Amino acid sequence: VQLQASGGGLVQAGGSLRLSCAASGTIFSINDMGWYRQAPGKERELVADITSGGGTNYADSVKGRFTITRDNAQTTVYLQMNSLKAEDTAVYYCNQGYRSGATYYPRFWGQGTQVTVSS
C-alpha cells in the first residue's frame, strides 16, 4: 500500500487548505481512511477518519472546521481545512486503517505533509 499526501503549505490564520492523499496498491473502496497530525513535541493524534461506507468521525478540536471526504474512483481521500488556527500547525499524515466501534486502528502510513498556520 502506498499513500501519497500533498497539499500542505503556509497559510494565515483563518485561511483554508485542502490536503489530498492518493492511494495505490490497495482496494481503496473497501478500506477506512484517516488523517493524523503531529505537532512538535506532541503525540500523533487522529484528526478525522472516513469509513468505506462514508461515515465520518472528527476530533473535537476540528469539528465544524475540517471535512474529510473520499473519491473511490480516484482512490483519493481529502481533508478540507477551514478557519485554520495556529494550533493546527503540524505534519499531517494520511492513513489506511479500520474503524471498529469507537476506535480507529491505523495500519498503513503515508509520508507527512507540513501545514503551518501563521497567526
Side-chain angles (χ1 to χ4, degrees), residues 94-110:
C94 174
N95 179 270
Q96 179 181 296
Y98 65 96
R99 173 167 284 275
S100 178
T103 304
Y104 179 86
Y105 297 91
R107 295 187 64 198
F108 302 102
W109 294 93

Side-chain angles (χ1 to χ4, degrees), residues 7-91:
L10 174 63
V11 64
Q12 289 188 333
S16 299
L17 281 175
R18 189 176 81 153
L19 305 183
S20 301
C21 175
S24 60
T26 182
I27 305 175
F28 181 82
S29 62
I30 66 172
N31 284 285
D32 302 339
M33 301 294 297
W35 285 97
Y36 282 73
R37 68 185 180 187
Q38 187 167 21
K42 295 188 176 181
E43 293 187 355
R44 192 172 295 189
E45 64 172 348
L46 178 63
V47 174
D49 68 271
I50 184 166
T51 67
S52 59
T56 57
N57 296 276
Y58 296 93
D60 288 344
S61 59
V62 306
K63 281 181 182 177
R65 300 189 298 121
F66 290 11
T67 303
I68 187 171
T69 57
R70 64 189 297 158
D71 183 336
N72 289 339
Q74 297 296 322
T75 66
T76 300
V77 61
Y78 303 97
L79 185 67
Q80 178 67 44
M81 305 185 295
N82 299 328
S83 302
L84 282 162
K85 306 175 181 179
E87 51 263 44
D88 294 318
T89 294
V91 178

